[in-house]
Amino acid sequence: MITFTVDLEDPTGQYGANGRYVLMTRRILDMCDELGRKATFFTIGRIAGSAPDLIKDISARGHEVAYHSRNHISLTEDDPHSFRKETAEDKEKFEQLTGKPVAGFRAPRFSLTPKSRWAIDVLGELGFKYSSSIMPTQVSRFGFPEASRLPFKWPNDLIELPLPVGGPNKLPYLGGIYLYAMPFAVTRMMVKRADPKEVLWTYTHPYDFDRDEKFQRMPDDALWVSVVLWLARRVAENKIRKVLSLGPAGTMAERAAANFPGTYS
C-alpha cells in the first residue's frame, strides 16, 4: 500500500495566480482522477493567497490539503516565534478555504532534525495530528538517522510518519532523484522488503510533471542535482504511475488514523 503525496510549491518563489505550478497541479489532479487515487497535498501557505481556487479544487475532488510551511524555509533556519505565527495563520486560511481541518504537516526538505525538535511542540499546540517530516537516514544535509522507520508518537501524541528509506544505504527510494534515477525493478524490490508496519508513501512536486519548462537551477541544490532532476521530468510521471500501481492506499491522514486507532480525533 503506497500513498501518493505532493509537495505543492513553486521553486521560482513567484507563486503567480497562473503559475506553472498551478497548471501542473491540475495535471496531477486529472491523473489522480484517471487512476482513482486520492492524494495528500502538502501545500505552501502563500498559495492560500495566490491560488485559493486551486486549494478549494484539491479539497473538492476528495484530496487532503496539508501544510508545508509558508515560504519553504527549512526548520533548521526558522525560529519558533515566526514559525508558530505563520503556521497558525496559514492553517486557519486553509481551513476556511476547504471547510475541513488541516491535520498534517511536512517540514521543507524533511528538515525536522534533533536541532529543530522544537517544532513538534508548536505543531501539537496548533492542533496538528500528524507530521511527515523526518528522514531517518543521513544521505543529505538533513536527516534524523536515529529515528525509527516505523510510525511513532512524539511525547505530545503527535503522530510521525517517517520518510520511507531502504537498502543498505537507507535511500529515500520512493521519491525525488532516487526514484527517478533508480531502475524500477530495484524500487519494487525495496517495496517488497519494507517492514509491513512501515507507512509507505511516494512524494513528488508539480514541477516534476513539467516536461516543457526550460531549465533553471533549483534553489539550494547543487548544479548537477538540478540538471538530473530536470532531465528526470521525462520519466517522472511514468515512474510515479508505476509506483502507484504497486498498491492503493488512502491519504496520509487516513494512514495515521489507521496506525493509531482511537487516538486520532
Side-chain angles (χ1 to χ4, degrees), residues 1-253:
M1 297 174 60
I2 300 178
T3 291
F4 182 34
T5 78
V6 180
D7 291 356
L8 207 178
E9 61 200 53
D10 180 3
T12 69
Q14 298 177 20
Y15 292 98
N18 298 309
R20 298 188 71 88
Y21 75 97
V22 176
L23 176 64
M24 293 303 116
T25 301
R26 295 199 181 281
R27 179 179 294 181
I28 293 171
L29 290 171
D30 291 342
M31 183 188 77
C32 288
D33 286 347
E34 175 193 340
L35 299 177
R37 297 294 298 264
K38 299 304 180 185
T40 296
F41 288 78
F42 290 94
T43 308
I44 291 295
R46 288 179 61 182
I47 296 175
S50 63
D53 289 342
L54 179 63
I55 294 174
K56 291 179 181 179
D57 194 23
I58 290 170
S59 180
R61 291 167 80 162
H63 305 286
E64 178 189 5
V65 175
Y67 187 55
H68 194 39
S69 83
R70 175 170 291 181
N71 291 302
H72 207 262
I73 296 174
S74 301
L75 290 178
T76 50
E77 300 173 8
D78 211 337
D79 70 85
H81 177 74
S82 296
F83 177 78
R84 192 186 196 289
K85 179 177 182 297
E86 293 176 352
T87 301
E89 293 172 350
D90 293 340
K91 185 175 187 289
E92 182 178 3
K93 290 177 183 177
F94 282 175
E95 291 175 345
Q96 290 175 346
L97 288 170
T98 65
K100 303 173 185 177
V102 173
F105 170 79
R106 175 171 292 164
R109 306 180 186 93
F110 302 106
S111 56
L112 180 53
T113 72
K115 293 182 179 180
S116 55
R117 284 185 59 171
W118 52 262
I120 296 301
D121 292 333
V122 175
L123 294 171
E125 292 168 6
L126 295 179
F128 285 88
K129 300 299 183 181
Y130 76 87
S131 164
S132 174
S133 303
I134 278 183
M135 184 185 296
T137 182
Q138 195 67 66
V139 298
S140 74
R141 61 189 173 118
F142 298 112
F144 205 142
E146 60 269 37
S148 173
R149 300 189 193 187
L150 305 182
F152 66 91
K153 278 188 175 183
W154 294 99
N156 64 353
D157 285 339
L158 185 76
I159 297 167
E160 185 68 44
L161 304 177
L163 174 69
V165 297
N169 295 321
K170 299 174 70 175
L171 299 178
Y173 62 99
L174 284 176
I177 194 171
Y178 303 99
L179 173 62
Y180 304 143
M182 188 182 295
F184 183 69
V186 177
T187 303
R188 184 170 51 207
M189 178 188 66
M190 288 187 175
V191 169
K192 290 182 178 179
R193 292 182 177 179
D195 190 309
K197 295 180 181 179
E198 286 186 62
V199 171
L200 299 184
W201 41 272
T202 185
Y203 64 95
T204 187
H205 308 81
Y207 56 77
D208 292 333
F209 291 76
D210 196 344
R211 300 183 181 185
D212 301 321
E213 187 177 31
K214 294 181 179 179
F215 173 77
Q216 56 183 324
R217 187 167 180 173
M218 302 295 288
D220 302 316
D221 279 342
L223 177 60
W224 73 269
V225 174
S226 296
V227 171
V228 171
L229 286 174
W230 181 69
L231 293 173
R233 297 181 186 190
R234 280 72 178 163
V235 301
E237 181 175 343
N238 185 51
K239 282 287 185 72
I240 290 294
R241 285 174 177 267
K242 285 184 176 181
V243 167
L244 296 180
S245 73
L246 296 177
T251 63
M252 293 291 273

